[in-house]
Amino acid sequence: MLAYIVRRLLFVIPTLFAIMVINFAIVQFVPGGPVERILAQIEGTDVGATARVSGSGSDLAATAGAGADGDSLYRGARGLPEGFIEELEKMYGLDKPPVERLLLMMGNYLSFDFGESAFRSETVVNLIVEKMPVSISLGLWTTVIVYLVSIPLGIAKARRDGGRFDVWTSGAIILGYAIPGFLFAILLVVLFAGGSYWKFFPLRGLVSPGFDDMTTLQQIGDYFWHLALPLTALVIGSFATLTMLTKNSFLDQIRSQYVITARAKGLTERRVLYGHVFRNGMLIIIAGFPGAIVGILFTGALLIEIIFSLDGMGLLGYEAAINRDYPVMFATLYIFTLLGLVMNLIGDLMYVAVDPRIDFESRDVG
């Protein structure tokens, strides 16, 4: 097993590098950039759709003072002092060729040196650490609630397959799945957060002012009081996939020959279900838990964060993309990709923990 873990960890390196290279290459062809954004701010206009960021400093300097008929690589660069564009490019590290910038970036990332944000006077690490409590809170509790509800519900549906309970619960979870989370969030705000009716829950932040002066029980209560509506909006449509996966997994096991044999030997239904079926039925579900955490932690919460005024990773990533804050963009991509690859390995190890009969030693990494 140790050899398999080592092979998988070594496989992480080229995979991570390939993902970073592909995204870095794509960004080179995306219109706009940090320099163009600065120029747009000087001009008082939005970033131009035809902006380019891949030109050399000498080319840009030569066209920075072009007149109205000039052909500048940067819209808004006309009439600026000579050398101004070069200084901006040097400030943002765009004065070097793309390949050199990529290698320099990856070299720094190996030591988790992510530099500073292009538009905030703060290091990328500090920004991520500052936003993580919101994302961890939303992702962790959403995952826990979904698993605590979906697994027992899926098992109950498998035991009552085709019955009234199965039909009614399927209708309910499909209805919840069909409702967009952000629309449900708006409904919750209108009803319970002072939108038009009652104001039972707060609408801003993860904790209340004066949180540090509260007792431990008060802090716990205040924390979950702020999370009540965002978590409800996030989990309402998250039960369907895991519930149906649990149900189908258990149905496959219940219909297996070894279950028929166990029942024929006189074992109770409870012993058959939890002594034989449970471990095999839960295999794919438990193994997917690490990936589910990453998925819920860093995706799909942007609109929820905006609606409930929660400053988390979703909002940080969105603002970084809009502002072309490349250090934040690539640092978060690097961290999330690395975390996802490691979680995939943990998922494989959980297969073995659930069912020791599984042996990855004989499998090739792929």
Side-chain angles (χ1 to χ4, degrees), residues 16-31:
L16 180 60
F17 184 77
I19 292 173
M20 295 299 296
V21 168
I22 292 172
N23 283 272
F24 185 87
I26 292 174
V27 165
Q28 306 312 304
F29 299 98
V30 175

Side-chain angles (χ1 to χ4, degrees), residues 3-248:
Y4 173 77
I5 295 175
V6 172
R7 290 200 305 269
R8 284 292 300 270
L9 289 176
L10 292 176
F11 187 70
V12 165
I13 299 174
T15 304
L16 180 60
F17 184 77
I19 292 173
M20 295 299 296
V21 168
I22 292 172
N23 283 272
F24 185 87
I26 292 174
V27 165
Q28 306 312 304
F29 299 98
V30 175
V35 174
E36 179 66 21
R37 178 170 172 77
I38 292 295
L39 296 177
Q41 291 176 347
I42 294 174
E43 293 288 322
T45 61
D46 294 331
V47 176
T50 59
R52 289 173 52 187
V53 297
S54 56
S56 65
S58 58
D59 294 336
L60 294 169
T63 59
D69 297 328
D71 185 18
S72 172
L73 292 176
Y74 288 99
R75 295 178 62 187
R78 304 181 179 103
L80 293 176
E82 185 176 355
F84 181 72
I85 300 295
E86 287 182 335
E87 294 179 5
L88 286 180
E89 287 200 320
K90 186 175 182 180
M91 179 189 306
Y92 294 114
L94 299 174
D95 57 328
K96 302 178 179 65
V99 174
E100 183 180 347
R101 284 189 277 125
L102 173 63
L103 295 177
L104 180 62
M105 180 182 71
M106 293 305 299
N108 292 333
Y109 282 11
L110 289 176
S111 60
F112 293 94
D113 178 11
F114 301 115
E116 293 188 0
S117 167
F119 294 100
R120 306 189 189 199
S121 56
E122 198 169 354
T123 64
V124 175
V125 172
N126 287 343
L127 280 174
I128 293 176
V129 171
E130 179 184 339
K131 312 300 181 184
M132 282 301 289
V134 170
S135 295
I136 291 177
S137 296
L138 293 176
L140 177 62
W141 292 117
T142 298
T143 305
V144 169
I145 293 172
V146 169
Y147 267 74
L148 288 179
V149 173
S150 296
I151 291 177
L153 181 58
I155 296 174
K157 287 173 64 64
R159 296 180 62 184
R160 300 168 177 83
D161 183 41
R164 295 179 62 182
F165 176 81
D166 182 34
V167 173
W168 282 104
T169 53
S170 293
I173 62 175
I174 291 174
L175 178 62
Y177 184 76
I179 300 175
F182 72 93
L183 287 181
F184 192 73
I186 294 174
L187 176 63
L188 292 176
V189 170
V190 171
L191 292 178
F192 304 114
S196 296
Y197 296 92
W198 304 282
K199 190 174 182 179
F200 296 146
F201 297 95
L203 189 57
R204 183 175 299 275
L206 195 60
V207 294
S208 299
F211 179 81
D212 294 334
D213 299 327
M214 299 179 184
T215 64
T216 301
L217 289 178
Q218 289 175 333
Q219 288 179 340
I220 295 174
D222 182 74
Y223 171 72
F224 284 106
W225 184 45
H226 281 76
L227 282 177
L229 296 187
L231 287 180
T232 302
L234 281 173
V235 304
I236 191 66
S238 303
F239 297 119
T241 301
L242 185 58
T243 300
M244 300 309 295
L245 178 64
T246 303
K247 175 191 173 181
N248 293 333

